[in-house]
Amino acid sequence: MKKSLLYLSLAAFAAIGFTSCSDDDEPQKNDPGQVLPYSMRAYILNQGEYWNLIEGELCVIDYATSEMARDVFVNANGRSMGATPQCGVAYGSKIYLGMYQSKTIEILDAKTFKSLKQIKLSETGFPGTQPRSMVAKNGKVYISMYDGYVSRLDTLSMAIDGSVKVGPNPELIGIHGNNLYVPNSDGMNYQIAYGTTASVVSLDSFTETSTFTVPMNPKQFFSAGGELFLICLGNYIDVENALYKVEADNTCTKIANATYASVKDDTIYYIDAPWGGTSSYAKYDVKTGKITPLTFEEVPAPNAIGVDPITGTIIIGSYKDTGYEATSLPEYVYQYDNNGKFVKKYDCGIGAPCIFFNTK
């Protein structure tokens, strides 16, 4: 695993957040975050390489043709997305993208990729300006901001309408029940110590209602099979990276060593890519507790995984053979079917990707 993703080179792995798309952005009687039976594509949002002036890309894999369209934002809009894209979500009729270094949110038409609005986060009147991850529910997009906040974006007005202070350097947030769970990595203070706290934010009141202690360097919360899970990265030396189940009393029970994860139904697909070690793959059945090893031999240096919540298509991002982000294009993503059979390797942008999906 590449140790210095963003919080060692710029500030802090790219977010894997899936939420479903509905036909519009109005809150519905059924939860608009519910996955409905339709899917046709995967989105790959690469960070780029800031120091070598290589811009990030939004790429799209079309399942029907097994082809990838590269740099669709630039092609549709004739301009850059901005520096260091970090997170994205397809929700309703729109796509939402967050640019860390440029401190902007781009809202796109999901069909044309045309920009409907660019939000300059320094001008919203709310604190929080460094997008890190996104999730969506009930007509709102929630965005963790690496400068210590979670912001709320209303999908109808296309405006930030609230912000909550959480812990330092929040990473990949997850929704479980009617709460937002926030891993506070404190990644910018890694030379002293990584963080060991998580924040709970009520979606009803949009306030931080509690905090609790977690293992070192929390990275990603997600819900699977009615349970809450957390990946923590440790300190890359003597504290291991691991996948934990968060119990009802907020204690954490280790399941397996892991660095990246994605969910379909009651199954967690995960990669263990320890710093300086050999990568391995497995899936965990939340209901039975069974761990099944997987094999993806084509991938040289995995840096992300996404599993389509409808089709089960598996997408794995990879650095080049060195295990570090490149200083020249391209890097790669690998597509597998829902049985893990290799489908195709694609060239894409560089930097660990945020992988998300088109559901409707």
Side-chain angles (χ1 to χ4, degrees):
M1 181 187 70
K2 183 177 183 294
K3 180 178 178 182
S4 61
L5 235 298
L6 186 59
Y7 45 67
L8 299 189
S9 63
L10 275 180
F13 173 72
I16 301 170
F18 355 91
T19 50
S20 71
C21 299
S22 57
D23 288 330
D24 54 49
D25 298 305
E26 293 283 357
Q28 301 173 4
K29 290 182 180 180
N30 61 307
D31 177 6
Q34 175 188 358
V35 175
L36 301 178
Y38 185 79
S39 184
M40 64 181 184
R41 60 178 57 159
Y43 298 100
I44 314 298
L45 180 66
N46 291 95
Q47 297 174 1
E49 215 289 319
Y50 180 76
W51 304 113
N52 288 285
L53 303 180
I54 301 174
E55 292 194 349
E57 293 184 32
L58 176 62
C59 305
V60 182
I61 297 173
D62 186 316
Y63 295 160
T65 62
S66 293
E67 297 293 335
M68 173 183 278
R70 295 221 12 213
D71 224 355
V72 297
F73 181 91
V74 171
N75 291 334
N77 296 283
R79 63 174 175 84
S80 168
M81 282 188 295
T84 323
Q86 278 288 289
C87 49
V89 65
Y91 185 68
S93 60
K94 305 180 184 76
I95 296 170
Y96 302 82
L97 305 175
M99 267 52 69
Y100 174 90
Q101 195 70 17
S102 294
K103 302 180 180 180
T104 56
I105 302 291
E106 289 284 352
I107 304 176
L108 315 184
D109 182 285
K111 293 181 179 179
T112 66
F113 306 113
K114 289 282 190 181
S115 179
L116 302 173
K117 185 177 182 180
Q118 182 188 75
I119 300 173
K120 296 182 179 180
L121 293 167
S122 60
E123 299 176 1
T124 65
F126 293 96
T129 61
Q130 297 173 322
R132 178 70 183 108
S133 72
M134 293 178 173
V135 293
K137 186 175 182 177
N138 291 341
K140 305 288 186 180
V141 175
Y142 298 92
I143 309 157
S144 66
M145 301 290 186
Y146 207 63
D147 45 344
Y149 296 87
V150 172
S151 295
R152 185 178 63 191
L153 189 158
D154 181 81
T155 60
L156 294 181
S157 66
M158 297 192 293
I160 301 292
D161 67 2
S163 185
V164 176
K165 184 172 178 57
V166 291
N169 310 133
E171 289 279 348
L172 279 61
I173 54 180
I175 293 174
H176 182 65
N178 207 37
N179 290 315
L180 191 69
Y181 286 82
V182 184
N184 301 314
S185 73
D186 204 6
M188 292 299 286
N189 290 316
Y190 72 94
Q191 292 177 320
I192 300 172
Y194 288 101
T196 56
T197 69
S199 298
V200 183
V201 175
S202 167
L203 298 186
D204 290 331
S205 65
F206 199 50
T207 59
E208 184 187 63
T209 57
S210 65
T211 62
F212 61 97
T213 300
V214 297
M216 181 180 287
N217 198 3
K219 171 196 168 183
Q220 178 187 5
F221 276 109
F222 53 90
S223 185
E227 305 286 352
L228 179 64
F229 293 88
L230 170 64
I231 285 182
C232 296
L233 296 184
N235 64 3
Y236 310 99
I237 304 171
D238 58 347
V239 180
E240 293 181 315
N241 51 280
L243 167 66
Y244 298 89
K245 178 184 175 184
V246 183
E247 308 290 354
D249 62 357
N250 289 335
T251 58
C252 295
T253 301
K254 181 179 174 180
I255 303 297
N257 291 112
T259 45
Y260 313 115
S262 184
V263 174
K264 184 184 186 304
D265 300 328
D266 297 332
T267 302
I268 301 170
Y269 294 77
Y270 63 89
I271 303 173
D272 178 26
W275 171 244
T278 301
S279 298
S280 61
Y281 308 84
K283 61 181 180 180
Y284 173 73
D285 187 309
V286 174
K287 298 301 185 184
T288 67
K290 181 181 179 181
I291 293 175
T292 304
L294 302 171
T295 302
F296 300 102
E297 294 180 350
E298 295 85 359
V299 184
N303 59 18
I305 183 170
V307 182
D308 190 309
I310 301 300
T311 67
T313 298
I314 300 168
I315 307 291
I316 297 177
S318 179
Y319 297 118
K320 295 185 178 180
D321 294 341
T322 60
Y324 291 86
E325 63 186 41
T327 56
S328 63
L329 292 165
E331 286 185 329
Y332 317 113
V333 292
Y334 298 77
Q335 180 183 350
Y336 302 83
D337 68 15
N338 58 0
N339 294 311
K341 181 180 178 181
F342 177 72
V343 175
K344 192 170 182 179
K345 170 187 173 182
Y346 302 91
D347 291 350
C348 65
I350 69 172
C354 169
I355 302 168
F356 57 104
F357 297 95
N358 182 315
T359 54
K360 187 174 180 179

